[in-house]
Amino acid sequence: MITLRQLTYARTLAQLGNFHHAAQVLHITQPALTRSIQALEAALGVQLFDRSALGVELTRFGEVFLPKAH
């Protein structure tokens, strides 16, 4: 089940491009943010973010999905 909280977390992560910064802004721990994003991606059956050592970027699906979810 997709929650409004997960969508808010994903939008914030997309805007900031970094799990650490997004978690700080959302006032949650980084592991909690990671679990929430993983659960959202599992519920959708697709990956929303490409992760790298430099941060995250939206996948093509993320580029299409997140604006509509907003």
Side-chain angles (χ1 to χ4, degrees):
M1 179 166 152
I2 297 171
T3 66
L4 183 58
R5 180 174 295 178
Q6 288 173 321
L7 297 176
T8 300
Y9 289 177
R11 185 183 56 163
T12 302
L13 178 58
Q15 289 171 342
L16 297 177
N18 180 287
F19 273 95
H20 177 75
H21 294 133
Q24 285 183 323
V25 167
L26 293 164
H27 304 286
I28 61 172
T29 65
Q30 185 173 340
L33 176 59
T34 299
R35 285 190 304 272
S36 179
I37 296 299
Q38 289 172 338
L40 174 60
E41 290 175 327
L44 294 170
V46 296
Q47 191 172 342
L48 296 174
F49 297 95
D50 284 325
R51 293 146 173 90
S52 73
L54 300 175
V56 298
E57 292 183 10
L58 287 171
T59 62
R60 289 215 186 267
F61 186 84
E63 290 173 357
V64 172
F65 174 77
L66 282 178
K68 293 180 190 251
H70 181 65

